[in-house]
Amino acid sequence: MSDYGCLPGKAWPLGATPDEEGVNFSLFSEHAKGVELCLFDDIGQQQIQSIQLSKGENHCWHVYVQGLKAGVKYGYRVDGPYLPEQGLRFNRNKLLIDPYAKELDRDFCWDKNLFPYDSKSPQKDLSISDSDSSAMMPKGIVCELSSVDEIAAIEAAKPKIPWSDTVIYECHVRGFSQLNLDVPANIRGSFAGLAHPESINYLKSLGVTAVELLPVHSFIDEEFLVQQGLSNYWGYNTLNFFCVHRDYLSSGKREEFKLMVKALHEAGLEVIMDVVYNHTAESNQFGPLLSFRGIDNRSYYRLESGNERYYVNDTGCGNTVRVEHPRVMQLVLDSLRYWAIEMGVDGFRFDLASILGRNESGFSQSAAFFQAVSQDPQLSDTKFIAEPWDIGPGGYQLGAFPSQWSEWNDKYRDICRRFWLNEPGVLPEFAKRIHGSSDLFEYAARGPRASLNFICSHDGFSLRDLVSYRERNNLANKENNRDGHHANFSDNYGVEGPSDDAQIECVRRRQQRNFIATLMFSQGTPMLLGGDELGRSQGGNNNAYCQDNEINWFAWPELDDKAKTLKAFTARCIALRSELQLLRSEKYLHKPKDMSVEGQCSHWVNCFGNAMAHDDWHQGHNQIGWMLESSLDGKRNILLLAFNAHSEALDFRLPEADGVEQWQCLLDTQNENGDAKQDYLSVGQASPMAARSVQLLKAVFV
């Protein structure tokens, strides 16, 4: 094959950009001494040409290759000093993945040649390896650009569901459909499997409005997991911020992801991606040389001041991405735009999001990244969700993110769990959390939607396990049960794990209903862990990150009537939330004297139907009523949520209110399907509440 002709090219845009005459390549590296583009044959094994790039403005190296077409496979070799003590780890013997590559040609496999140093040397990472890594390294594939019309169609198809109407369903691409026999075998566990009509019909019947996918950026299994016969199931080990994870592509083509998004959008469902911009798969100083480290280690990563051989590890994963660097921030923003504009994604949940707001003086709500996102018109309608913590100094930042963001509220999670354990002294905080955590967000003029409420997530017990295990059971992770959360605020109600005891099973099922009702009837944005509506168990594993098997996969063939009943109950709660505007207010509802706030208010009552007094907040049992009231356009609505976390039944006297004649019970968690034993009760009448139960009632006016 004859060599391709070359022109100098241009610095922008970064990455590989094809047009009718060829492809422009541009790569940022401030500290490199030389950059070589390597082109490969159709199978990605034989190098067919190498081309030296010219260094241009802003430390971008570039070249335009004439006659080259989309589909070509490529990688880079970057030359420069190998001085780990100074934070420089260049090694031109190693082929590197373009950070802007949109597709990779193969799966990643571990090999000793991927490391920049000689692992047998006593100097470890201070030594240098001269072996070539190109044979086993995935190559980038030059991809066609989406047309203006295609992008416009993608944008027009987005459901754009208001935050107040949003109900999020967190799930894993593989786990959701892997065992679903109603989905064709060749697409189970893939994007196509999630897009299948059976999958979409299920999601629609549940009533959720958005699917939040665990990481689908290209990621790799950590070497220590592979050595133990395990894999990184969750995917929080990113290799590239633009590529779709190949293992979820039944077709092998990235377009499958776009087709999934299109199918979900046509069904009125939004797609939210869990993204990991805080660290990469290159790990610490002993990690491989795959991309960023070999391109410009000092620019892409935060290094320890005065000892740049070592990485700042605010993530607990070996390294921390230097988001505050202009070109690195540009990389993250370009990635977000790509997924939102070209791939059609509606929102992002940012893993360890405090990292994004860090600068040299610590976390700041006005950090450059937050400002860049807030002013970006192409991301203005995008949902942004923060996991508002990391393990670095001052890393816990719940309530401190900008107004555009919603935040995972772990305080909500923990206090709801403790309330339903009937722990003493938690009632005041429980009230704050189901009220939307105004103490955390309202000071900054943020509404309830800022609180992303959840009882369970991928990280921790499933809901079924939360009511079946007191202790974690993580032996399958091969870490001697040392991993995973210690403080789960869980109970087994008499027997650890599965039980045939009818009384224990009755309590467990009711507690599941209590948690689901609490979640759906709280102010804020609810997120349901996928499978919790079916009673999915992980066998007590509260850190199932490395279990790509039946521990995590939905057991569709084994669903019984109890699972189907719980699913119907969950759908009923979601439908009530959608129907009753008071359950999803856009602003905080305070005491009646503040009724001027859009004609809405809320107040708290005790089990005698009277306003809560000081002593009521500190009584020994967790029993409380919460009234939500609106008076808009001459129409009044009042809801009453009654909670009884005590292990004994309770007569809850229904409060009096002007013009109210009766209370209609819309839902009672005492019963499997949520039906009330008595539909209508008079004002002042005692409503019998079972032990550990919730009732939702609506006022009937004269």
Side-chain angles (χ1 to χ4, degrees):
M1 181 180 295
S2 59
D3 287 350
Y4 291 100
C6 297
L7 297 172
K10 55 185 180 180
W12 312 108
L14 288 162
T17 307
D19 60 26
E20 294 180 355
E21 304 298 329
V23 179
N24 189 82
F25 293 88
S26 180
L27 180 76
F28 163 77
S29 180
E30 180 177 351
H31 299 98
K33 301 301 181 183
V35 175
E36 178 185 345
L37 171 68
C38 301
L39 304 178
F40 289 83
D41 61 12
D42 291 343
I43 61 173
Q45 286 300 112
Q46 183 67 37
Q47 182 173 309
I48 58 174
Q49 188 174 349
S50 65
I51 302 167
Q52 293 295 324
L53 277 64
S54 302
K55 189 172 185 178
E57 59 184 15
N58 295 306
H59 307 290
C60 292
W61 302 73
H62 47 84
V63 69
Y64 182 88
V65 184
Q66 297 172 304
L68 207 59
K69 301 294 183 184
V72 73
K73 299 178 180 180
Y74 72 102
Y76 289 108
R77 297 183 187 274
V78 181
D79 201 5
Y82 188 82
L83 298 169
E85 301 99 322
Q86 298 178 29
L88 301 172
R89 294 178 180 268
F90 296 104
N91 186 335
R92 70 172 313 279
N93 298 304
K94 311 300 177 181
L95 191 74
L96 303 172
I97 297 171
D98 180 4
Y100 278 79
K102 305 299 191 301
E103 191 172 352
L104 299 177
D105 75 331
R106 69 192 67 191
D107 296 330
F108 176 88
C109 292
W110 283 100
D111 188 278
K112 65 179 182 179
N113 294 319
L114 297 173
F115 293 85
Y117 60 89
D118 182 359
S119 61
K120 296 181 179 179
S121 170
Q123 292 184 302
K124 295 296 182 181
D125 65 304
L126 299 180
S127 65
I128 187 167
S129 166
D130 60 3
S131 63
D132 192 288
S133 66
S134 62
M136 63 287 303
M137 178 62 73
K139 282 76 177 177
I141 301 176
V142 176
C143 294
E144 293 279 7
L145 302 177
S146 298
S147 70
V148 173
D149 289 343
E150 287 173 330
I151 290 174
I154 290 170
E155 178 63 24
K158 290 185 176 182
K160 297 184 179 179
I161 296 169
W163 269 109
S164 58
D165 297 342
T166 297
V167 178
I168 296 173
Y169 188 81
E170 187 194 34
C171 73
H172 189 283
V173 172
R174 187 194 303 288
F176 183 76
S177 68
Q178 183 69 24
L179 297 179
N180 192 339
L181 301 182
D182 292 328
V183 174
N186 64 314
I187 63 170
R188 292 175 197 158
S190 70
F191 296 120
L194 186 56
H196 189 271
E198 287 291 334
S199 299
I200 291 178
N201 290 341
Y202 176 84
L203 294 169
K204 292 295 290 182
S205 70
L206 188 57
V208 297
T209 68
V211 178
E212 182 177 307
L213 303 178
L214 266 67
V216 297
H217 284 166
S218 180
F219 64 86
I220 67 175
D221 302 323
E222 290 88 342
E223 189 177 26
F224 79 92
L225 289 177
V226 175
Q227 292 171 348
Q228 296 185 80
L230 300 171
S231 62
N232 189 322
Y233 175 76
W234 287 352
Y236 294 91
N237 198 36
T238 305
L239 177 63
N240 178 278
F241 298 134
F242 291 84
C243 295
V244 175
H245 190 59
R246 286 174 48 84
D247 212 25
Y248 302 152
L249 295 168
S250 61
S251 63
K253 298 296 183 182
R254 68 177 180 137
E255 285 73 17
E256 184 176 323
F257 180 90
K258 297 175 74 171
L259 292 173
M260 176 201 70
V261 172
K262 180 180 179 182
L264 290 168
H265 282 175
E266 288 175 349
L269 294 166
E270 292 187 318
V271 178
I272 298 172
M273 283 175 55
D274 196 332
V275 289
V276 186
Y277 293 112
N278 59 78
H279 75 279
T280 79
E282 290 184 307
S283 189
N284 60 18
Q285 69 272 19
F286 299 122
L289 201 73
L290 307 176
S291 182
F292 312 97
R293 172 177 286 144
I295 293 170
D296 195 339
N297 187 59
R298 289 180 62 176
S299 294
Y300 280 107
Y301 295 113
R302 295 175 186 165
L303 307 177
E304 290 191 5
S305 178
N307 197 357
E308 293 180 316
R309 175 186 178 186
Y310 301 103
Y311 295 80
V312 171
N313 190 19
D314 290 339
T315 65
C317 300
N319 63 56
T320 304
V321 173
R322 192 182 171 193
V323 181
E324 67 274 19
H325 188 288
R327 294 287 78 76
V328 181
M329 186 181 300
Q330 180 187 359
L331 170 72
V332 175
L333 291 169
D334 285 345
S335 171
L336 292 172
R337 293 189 200 99
Y338 169 75
W339 289 100
I341 297 169
E342 291 202 37
M343 305 299 271
V345 169
D346 303 280
F348 303 93
R349 180 267 187 188
F350 292 79
D351 179 62
L352 301 181
S354 295
I355 295 291
L356 305 175
R358 284 187 182 276
N359 52 39
E360 293 181 359
S361 58
F363 180 89
S364 172
Q365 190 182 70
S366 59
F369 175 78
F370 295 145
Q371 294 188 47
V373 166
S374 68
Q375 62 77 45
D376 194 318
Q378 293 180 306
L379 298 173
S380 60
D381 291 331
T382 305
K383 288 182 166 72
F384 287 90
I385 302 168
E387 182 184 38
W389 52 78
D390 61 35
I391 69 168
Y396 189 78
Q397 294 293 335
L398 176 63
F401 279 71
S403 59
Q404 184 180 1
W405 295 65
S406 292
E407 303 177 37
W408 271 33
N409 192 340
D410 63 326
K411 288 188 176 182
Y412 175 93
R413 174 198 66 196
D414 291 349
I415 204 63
C416 287
R417 293 183 180 191
R418 294 172 64 193
F419 175 85
W420 286 111
L421 288 175
N422 201 31
E423 285 191 18
V426 303
L427 197 55
E429 187 176 355
F430 175 73
K432 290 179 183 178
R433 300 300 153 236
I434 65 173
H435 178 251
S437 296
S438 60
D439 58 318
L440 298 175
F441 302 108
E442 194 174 21
Y443 77 96
R446 301 169 72 185
R449 70 90 161 171
S451 178
L452 197 141
N453 302 328
F454 64 104
I455 303 296
C456 300
S457 69
H458 68 276
D459 188 4
F461 278 143
S462 69
L463 182 57
R464 179 63 183 180
D465 290 349
L466 186 67
V467 299
S468 303
Y469 292 86
R470 286 181 180 168
E471 305 295 336
R472 63 195 178 193
N473 179 27
N474 297 353
L475 290 173
N477 299 352
K478 300 183 180 180
E479 296 183 43
N480 296 317
N481 212 32
R482 294 192 302 266
D483 61 307
H485 297 292
H486 293 273
N488 297 294
F489 306 113
S490 62
D491 199 0
N492 59 31
Y493 302 98
V495 175
E496 189 76 350
S499 172
D500 295 326
D501 187 296
Q503 186 174 358
I504 291 174
E505 181 61 19
C506 179
V507 173
R508 288 177 176 178
R509 293 203 304 273
R510 186 178 300 168
Q511 287 290 64
Q512 289 173 264
R513 297 193 295 275
N514 288 334
F515 279 120
I516 290 169
T518 302
L519 176 65
M520 294 304 163
F521 300 156
S522 295
Q523 299 292 308
T525 305
M527 183 188 78
L528 180 71
L529 172 62
D532 279 355
E533 77 283 5
L534 298 170
R536 184 182 69 86
S537 173
Q538 296 175 175
N541 193 323
N542 75 348
N543 189 34
Y545 77 102
C546 56
Q547 301 298 328
D548 191 359
N549 50 46
E550 288 80 358
I551 289 176
N552 275 309
W553 301 342
F554 284 35
W556 296 106
E558 300 173 14
L559 296 183
D560 56 16
D561 289 341
K562 293 176 183 177
K564 295 174 183 176
T565 300
L566 182 60
K567 186 258 184 178
F569 174 86
T570 306
R572 181 173 182 173
C573 290
I574 295 174
L576 284 168
R577 179 183 177 86
S578 176
E579 174 188 340
L580 302 170
Q581 188 275 333
L582 277 169
L583 295 177
R584 45 186 178 83
S585 176
E586 295 182 9
K587 295 186 177 181
Y588 286 105
L589 309 182
H590 290 295
K591 295 179 181 179
K593 66 180 181 180
D594 299 323
M595 193 74 162
S596 59
V597 180
E598 293 192 356
Q600 298 179 327
C601 69
S602 71
H603 43 109
W604 306 92
V605 297
N606 59 26
C607 61
F608 302 105
N610 301 320
M612 289 283 286
H614 178 272
D615 290 345
D616 293 326
W617 288 106
H618 304 284
Q619 45 91 349
H621 304 306
N622 291 326
Q623 299 163 338
I624 194 171
W626 184 26
M627 293 179 65
L628 307 172
E629 184 174 354
S630 68
S631 181
L632 301 171
D633 300 323
K635 183 177 181 181
R636 290 180 66 201
N637 288 291
I638 303 178
L639 298 178
L640 171 64
L641 279 160
F643 298 90
N644 177 26
H646 191 36
S647 57
E648 296 181 4
L650 165 73
D651 284 338
F652 199 104
R653 189 165 298 280
L654 298 176
E656 296 181 1
D658 291 343
V660 176
E661 181 180 29
Q662 289 181 309
W663 289 94
Q664 179 188 5
C665 190
L666 303 178
L667 182 131
D668 189 339
T669 63
Q670 175 181 355
N671 300 311
E672 297 274 357
N673 60 7
D675 285 347
K677 287 196 171 181
Q678 188 174 350
D679 289 338
Y680 290 91
L681 301 102
S682 299
V683 170
Q685 182 179 347
S687 177
M689 291 192 71
R692 304 185 182 96
S693 65
V694 179
Q695 289 182 356
L696 172 64
L697 302 102
K698 181 180 180 180
V700 179
F701 295 90
V702 176

